[in-house]
Amino acid sequence: MSSAISSSSSSARASNDILRSLPSVDELVRASSGKLITESAGESHTANLARSVIAELRGEILEGSVLVATEGELLEVANERLVSAWKSEERKGVRRVINATGVIIHTNLGRAPLSENAREAMADASGYGSLEFAVETGKRGKRGIRAESLLRELIGAEEVLIVNNCAAAAFFVLTAFASGGEVVISRGEMVEIGGDFRVPDVLEQSGATLREIGTTNRTKLADYAKVINANTRVLLRVHPSNYRIVGFTSMPSLSDLAVLAREKGVILYEDIGSGAIVDLSRFGLNDEPLVQASITAGVDVVTFSGDKLLGGPQCGIVAGKAEIIDKLRKHPLYRALRVDKHTYAALEATLEAYRRGTEFDEIPVLRMIAISKEQIRERAERFIGSILAGSADLRLEIVDGVSAIGGGAAPNVVLETALIAVSHARKSASQLELTLRNAATPIITRISDDRVMIDLRTVSEVEEAELIESLSGL
Ligand SMILES: *Cc1c(COP(=O)(O)O)cnc(C)c1O
């Protein structure tokens, strides 16, 4: 976006003449906005920004698109452009936004928002911390032991290891146990999750050979048994997180697969991705497998994400038999995939909520799944009530809609919600959407039926007040 140049004098001047009125880089940097920007961006970067602003203006003058302008006008326009260039740069960083889309695990907006306790724990850990130090003995300690022990307790696994994300976990397990050998997988599970996680690609990268069996909709235990040979290392089961095959389908149970794997001396590995550790079926999430169920069924190793249904920080959790996890812990790749102190701190705090039994009060993802349409409607009514006092141009109305779990989980789950449909007498839906997105704390909404839709399911009470303030000013 560039600001237009207005003219005050009536006679058009020659380009060369106008060029002489352009401020120098130095003048622009020393002007009031330049000074402010320098405080944040430093001198040389501010000078670079000023240089491109002036070069842009010079181009426009030579093109003849700036016919009349005084020195003062040119400086003013250059100032505006400098400020907007800096603002646009600042906005490209990671900053807080308000997610009013109703998509709970919004991957582009950072997936699971953390609980208050997890945020505090993370901030607390950001100085020195007892990451690999046993305060009790004063000796070197092991990293991750508390998060791991919480997880062992919660999901009933023999051992647990935390890595950077679930993709890293899958790559790690397959590299450590299947490199140079064969991995058996049903055709119905050769899925792509979130665009850049494709099961066949991960397998190839890990150095394993793929043995596809069965058909897209039906695979039998005998199909697995038939292809297992001396080179087979792993039977892989992947939860097709973001899509469903319905109708005439079948696949062997995990426990039957576990028996077969044991008989044949191969590893049964399940990648369940979303990784719920509490039952969410009463909210309609009927086919999100519980991690505990996989462990009980006898899988050797299971992997899942920390920032999907678990509601914690980005990480990948590898859980399973002690023998398997110990090998991973000693594997040279672990050093490259391990997580930092902030992740452990946030994960521990998240898991503690589960152990206390307060997960539905504390963990935002679970709270947002559990909140009913009626509760959202009540909030929406109050919300509209507090805005109506404000702008006369705004029209707000409650309409029925649906929220989504997101994060490539539970694609067919319908979470009924009450949306606030916003329209404006002088702004189109897309102008309104843009205005909200450009708010001091960007507000992310969706457009439907030519109106901006706000789903309070994913908006916290604190953010609700900010939203009211932004809307009231329109
Ligand atoms: C989401 C998902 C992944 C990737 O997890 P990240 O934590 O995003 O790396 C892998 N496998 C399955 C089945 C998933 O659902």
Side-chain angles (χ1 to χ4, degrees), residues 23 43 98 165 185 238 240 279-280 299 316 334 341 343 362 409 432 464:
E43 249 168 64
I98 295 175
N165 53 26
I185 180 171
V238 179
D279 185 10
L280 297 169
V299 303
Y334 176 53
K341 57 190 178 180
T343 305
E362 280 192 56
L432 199 54
E464 208 174 297

Side-chain angles (χ1 to χ4, degrees), residues 301-312:
V301 55
V302 53
T303 56
F304 58 103
S305 292
D307 54 356
K308 290 185 182 169
L309 290 171
L310 188 74

Side-chain angles (χ1 to χ4, degrees), residues 53-208:
V53 164
I54 288 165
E56 187 184 81
L57 275 173
R58 177 174 292 117
E60 287 169 30
I61 292 167
L62 288 174
E63 251 175 29
S65 54
V66 178
L67 292 179
V68 198
T70 64
E71 250 173 58
E73 282 167 343
L74 281 170
L75 181 60
E76 193 181 320
V77 171
N79 248 319
E80 277 170 28
R81 290 195 188 180
L82 183 66
V83 171
S84 109
W86 171 238
K87 275 199 179 146
S88 128
E89 194 185 307
E90 265 190 319
R91 280 177 171 269
K92 291 192 179 104
V94 178
R95 54 209 293 256
R96 185 168 75 89
V97 302
I98 295 175
N99 173 13
T101 64
V103 179
I104 299 174
I105 306 168
H106 199 307
T107 298
N108 296 350
L109 300 183
R111 288 213 183 143
L114 295 177
S115 70
E116 284 308 318
N117 283 333
R119 290 173 197 219
E120 266 172 37
M122 217 167 183
D124 234 28
S126 55
Y128 291 120
S130 52
L131 178 65
E132 276 184 28
F133 182 80
V135 175
E136 282 193 325
T137 60
K139 297 208 167 71
R140 176 169 181 180
K142 270 173 69 185
R143 63 164 53 215
I145 49 174
R146 180 148 166 73
E148 290 166 11
S149 100
L150 279 157
L151 273 162
R152 280 201 304 271
E153 198 179 328
L154 287 165
I155 63 178
E158 284 179 16
E159 273 298 339
V160 173
L161 193 68
I162 322 288
V163 293
N164 190 50
N165 53 26
C166 191
F171 172 68
F172 194 14
V173 170
L174 291 169
T175 304
F177 295 105
S179 186
E182 285 180 16
V183 173
V184 183
I185 180 171
S186 161
R187 291 207 159 78
E189 296 169 24
M190 294 287 285
V191 294
E192 170 179 307
I193 290 153
D196 41 17
F197 183 87
R198 308 180 101 194
V199 171
D201 296 347
V202 178
L203 275 165
E204 190 187 318
Q205 206 43 241
S206 69

Side-chain angles (χ1 to χ4, degrees), residues 128 159 188 203 215 327 354 424 451 474:
Y128 291 120
E159 273 298 339
L203 275 165
T215 61
K327 276 202 185 126
Y354 282 96
H424 194 276
R451 288 189 290 186
L474 295 177

Side-chain angles (χ1 to χ4, degrees), residues 371-373 376 400-403 414-418 457:
I371 185 171
S372 71
K373 180 183 178 179
I376 296 172
D400 290 337
V402 287
S403 318
V414 175
L415 293 172
E416 306 243 345
T417 193
R457 186 186 292 278

